């Protein structure tokens, strides 16, 4: 299936992508260093100074292969997209429901519930498997606060209240996040979440991973005919993929676990990050490649989807969630079932 296929990440500065028959040819200084059949790809992501021929852009659009351009640090710049797929009636229903604040609150509750439950699982696993390396009291306090947040969400809250619960839970979770890091804590730490720009190595790592997850979810939504820009928890804002951000919430802890693993296993080290004079932190080219390979391998791992109860690659979960959300909009499901890891 196309949805099981890979993403081609191009990070070499000065590379040029061209159409070569039915393949994507990657050329560096005029020499072709890689050819990838387009039918094996779901998307192509270019970082930094990477060029692309208009013929390949058209070919990707025709074959519904996402082609995205990001800055070297992972900031989204642009996306080439072919004709919009899917049923126009589905998108019209998506737009109508976005104006219904009661419905929006229900969607927001499901997304935030999935996120908090998965954050709680991350902390529980660390406490269970590495209890000798952490301070159990603050960890348990954070776990209890997340449990209380889950109970609050079951009270039929309005949209603003759901956002308040999410904010409180995020503070509890990231307040304990530093304990998940066991290696080189003088250089890898989480004192508080910082973005645009990230101000320490862990925030830099998390922000880059969140960008990758968001890209995959956006592609999945487009593949089933939904508009990634029209969300429910994340309201309309020019340039923001609101629905993609909504469905991303339940997958953030997945990115968190991968970030922590890369640091604790020594796959990423302090010298893999560059700190500017203004304090902003970015990854080196080699570190970015290490991260992209690890992310791609993680997506290829197989798990049982908790709702459909079928074993599949983790990368396919994004598409299953997009399909489930489309079914919810059509009235085929009573609610949106977020992925909750066990």
């Amino acid at each position: 299936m196309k949805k099981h296929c890979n993403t081609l990440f191009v990070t070499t500065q000065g590379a040029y992508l061209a159409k070569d028959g039915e393949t994507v040819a990657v050329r560096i200084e005029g020499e072709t260093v890689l050819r990838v059949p387009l039918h094996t790809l779901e998307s192509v992501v270019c970082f930094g100074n990477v060029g692309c021929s208009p013929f390949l852009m058209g070919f990707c659009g025709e074959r519904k292969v996402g082609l995205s351009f990001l800055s070297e640090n992972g900031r989204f710049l642009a996306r080439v997209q072919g004709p919009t797929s899917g049923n126009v009636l589905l998108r019209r229903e998506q737009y109508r429901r976005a104006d219904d604040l009661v419905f929006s609150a229900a969607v927001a509750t499901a997304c935030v519930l999935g996120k908090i439950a998965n954050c709680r699982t991350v902390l529980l696993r660390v406490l269970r498997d590495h209890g000798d390396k952490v301070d159990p009291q603050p960890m348990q306090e954070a776990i209890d606060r997340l449990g209380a947040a889950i109970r609050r969400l079951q009270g039929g809250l309005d949209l603003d209240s759901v956002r308040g619960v999410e904010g409180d839970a995020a503070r509890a979770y990231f307040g304990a996040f530093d304990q998940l890091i066991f290696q080189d804590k003088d250089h890898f730490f989480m004192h508080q979440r910082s973005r645009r720009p990230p101000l320490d190595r862990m925030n830099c790592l998390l922000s880059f991973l969140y960008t990758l997850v968001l890209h995959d979810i956006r592609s999945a939504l487009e593949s089933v005919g939904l508009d990634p820009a029209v969300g429910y928890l994340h309201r309309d804002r020019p340039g923001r993929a609101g629905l993609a951000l909504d469905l991303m919430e339940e997958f953030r802890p997945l990115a968190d676990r991968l970030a922590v693993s890369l640091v604790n296993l020594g796959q990423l080290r302090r010298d893999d990050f560059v700190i500017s004079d203004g304090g902003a932190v970015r990854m080196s080219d080699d570190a970015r490649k290490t991260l992209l390979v690890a992310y791609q391998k993680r997506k290829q791992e197989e798990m049982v989807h908790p709702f459909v109860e079928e074993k599949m690659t983790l990368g396919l979960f994004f598409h299953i969630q997009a399909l489930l959300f489309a079914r919810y909009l059509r009235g085929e499901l009573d609610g949106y079932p977020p992925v909750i890891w066990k």
Side-chain angles (χ1 to χ4, degrees):
M1 288 178 61
K2 183 70 166 291
K3 298 180 181 63
H4 283 286
C5 298
N6 296 324
T7 299
L8 173 63
F9 296 107
V10 184
T11 62
T12 302
Q13 300 304 287
Y16 186 79
L17 308 184
K19 180 180 180 296
D20 187 352
E22 297 286 313
T23 69
V24 179
V26 182
R27 297 171 182 166
I28 299 176
E29 296 181 352
E31 180 182 352
T32 299
V33 298
L34 178 69
R35 285 188 180 89
V36 183
L38 196 70
H39 74 271
T40 66
L41 294 173
E42 182 186 6
S43 59
V44 179
V45 182
C46 304
F47 290 89
N49 182 25
V50 176
C52 182
S53 76
F55 299 103
L56 179 61
M57 292 182 186
F59 193 42
C60 288
E62 177 186 333
R63 297 298 180 88
K64 302 188 186 307
V65 173
L67 176 59
S68 299
F69 296 90
L70 281 64
S71 71
E72 280 192 78
N73 297 327
R75 181 172 59 85
F76 177 80
L77 299 175
R79 178 179 176 87
V80 176
Q81 181 180 340
T84 302
S85 61
N87 189 333
V88 66
L89 299 178
L90 174 62
R91 292 192 295 279
R92 290 189 65 181
E93 185 66 15
Q94 177 188 356
Y95 302 148
R96 279 195 294 266
R97 292 299 190 108
D99 292 330
D100 182 342
L101 293 182
V102 175
F103 184 87
S104 295
V107 174
T109 297
C111 295
V112 172
L113 179 65
K115 174 184 179 179
I116 296 175
N118 292 334
C119 287
R120 187 171 182 270
T121 296
V122 170
L123 299 184
L124 282 169
R125 283 182 175 177
V126 171
L127 193 59
R128 179 193 65 195
D129 298 338
H130 304 284
D132 57 328
K133 299 178 182 178
V134 302
D135 185 345
Q137 182 177 348
M139 285 284 286
Q140 189 60 55
E141 289 177 355
I143 290 168
D144 292 343
R145 287 177 63 185
L146 294 178
I150 292 172
R151 291 189 293 273
R152 287 178 61 193
L153 288 172
Q154 296 170 354
L157 303 178
D158 60 28
L159 195 54
D160 286 339
S161 297
V162 172
R163 291 195 184 100
V165 172
E166 191 276 334
D168 291 342
R171 283 187 288 274
Y173 174 64
F174 282 112
F177 195 88
D178 194 58
Q179 294 212 56
L180 278 58
I181 306 163
F182 308 138
Q183 296 292 331
D184 195 7
K185 290 182 71 69
D186 289 338
H187 297 89
F188 290 97
F189 50 81
M190 171 61 74
H191 295 159
Q192 63 180 1
R193 186 77 178 101
S194 62
R195 304 176 296 168
R196 302 188 189 99
L199 299 177
D200 58 62
R201 291 173 176 82
M202 283 307 301
N203 272 293
C204 175
L205 189 51
L206 290 177
S207 292
F208 196 87
L209 277 168
Y210 291 160
T211 297
L212 298 179
V213 174
L214 183 63
H215 169 270
D216 286 341
I217 293 175
R218 181 173 184 159
S219 297
L221 290 169
E222 289 173 346
S223 74
V224 302
L226 290 165
D227 186 341
V230 181
Y232 301 85
L233 172 64
H234 297 83
R235 308 303 289 176
D236 293 352
R237 182 185 298 174
R240 181 164 75 172
L243 184 58
L245 288 168
D246 287 356
L247 268 61
M248 178 183 170
E249 294 296 343
E250 64 210 71
F251 290 101
R252 285 182 185 270
L254 172 71
D256 298 343
R257 289 183 58 196
L258 179 57
V260 170
S261 294
L262 289 170
V263 173
N264 287 341
L265 295 175
Q267 293 176 268
L268 290 177
R269 302 177 183 275
R270 71 182 76 169
D271 296 336
D272 289 323
F273 297 80
V274 179
I275 303 177
S276 69
D277 293 337
V281 179
R282 63 178 179 85
M283 282 187 288
S284 67
D285 291 344
D286 289 341
R288 193 159 47 242
K289 291 176 182 177
T290 298
L291 177 58
L292 292 172
V293 169
Y295 178 68
Q296 195 66 33
K297 287 182 177 179
R298 183 76 175 101
K299 288 200 301 179
Q300 293 169 351
E301 295 178 8
E302 292 191 338
M303 293 179 62
V304 175
H305 190 285
F307 185 80
V308 302
E309 297 181 342
E310 292 182 12
K311 192 174 186 180
M312 63 188 70
T313 59
L314 190 56
L316 186 54
F317 276 44
F318 304 130
H319 294 270
I320 294 297
Q321 294 309 111
L323 287 167
L324 290 174
F325 193 82
R327 290 185 61 190
Y328 176 39
L329 285 176
R330 293 190 185 103
E332 298 170 12
L333 293 175
D334 293 335
Y336 169 68
V339 173
I340 297 181
W341 315 103
K342 297 181 180 179

